[in-house]
Amino acid sequence: MVEAVFLDRDGVLNELVLNSATREYEPPHRIEDMKLFPYVIECLGKLQGAGYDLFLVSNQPDVAKGKTTLEALEKIHKKFDQLLTSRGIYFKEYYYCYHHPQGLIPEYSHECMCRKPKPFFLLKAEEKHNIDLGNSWMIGDRDTDIECGKAGGTKTILIEEPLSVHKRGNSLPDYKVKDLREAVEIIIQNTDEK
Ligand SMILES: [Mg+2]
Ligand SMILES: [Zn+2]
C-alpha cells in the first residue's frame, strides 16, 4: 500500500488574497493572484522524495456563491498546476469541490458528497490508488481540513496561517505548526522513525 499526503490548497500552498470590498481573505479569483508560498516547491519535493503520493483536496465554494466562475477557477488551477509541474512536483490527483449548501447558483448549491469535512476524496484516493490512510497525512489551515483527515483516518497537521485564524479553534489536530515547512519536517521525522 501507498502512503499519501493530502493537502488543502489556499492558505497552505498559495497565498490568500484580500477582498477589498468585504475586507476578507479569500482564495484567488484572478490568475495573477495565484502565488505559491516561496517554500512550497522544496517542501513538496521532500515529500515526493520520501515516497509519498500527493493529493490536493480543496473546497472552492465561490462558484456556488456567485463570487466567481468555474471558468475563472479552472484558469487559476491551470496556473497552479503549471507552477508545480514546471518544477517537478506531480500530484496524483487534484480533488476540488465546487459546491456549497447555501449558495446562489442553483447548479452548485446543494449538499454534496465531496465538501470537506466529508472524507469523500480521501476514501476515493484510498480505493483508486491503494492508499494506506492510517499511515497518511492531511495538512490544512482550517478545522474542516482536520475533521476531514480524522474522518478519513489520517494523521493531521493544522497550519496556523494568521489570515485564516477565524476558521479554526475547535478541531484537535495531531500537530499544530506555523507553515508547510514545519509540517513537512514532522512528516519526514515520523517517516524516518518507522
Ligand atoms: Mg485553506
Ligand atoms: Zn462537493
Side-chain angles (χ1 to χ4, degrees), residues 160-177:
E160 297 184 296
E161 156 63 41
L163 299 180
S164 54
V165 65
H166 58 294
K167 299 288 189 180
R168 60 175 177 264
N170 295 309
S171 61
L172 290 169
D174 295 311
Y175 300 91
K176 291 181 189 179
V177 299

Side-chain angles (χ1 to χ4, degrees), residues 18 22 32 46 53 74 91 96 118-119 121 127 134 153 176 181 185:
L18 179 64
T22 63
E32 58 268 38
K46 281 184 189 170
D53 275 1
E74 281 172 348
F91 277 64
Y96 286 107
K118 288 181 182 156
F121 288 130
E127 191 180 319
K176 291 181 189 179
R181 285 171 289 199
E185 256 173 55

Side-chain angles (χ1 to χ4, degrees), residues 139-152:
I139 305 175
D141 64 334
R142 295 186 178 194
D143 284 341
T144 48
D145 299 312
I146 301 310
E147 286 157 12
C148 171
K150 293 188 122 175

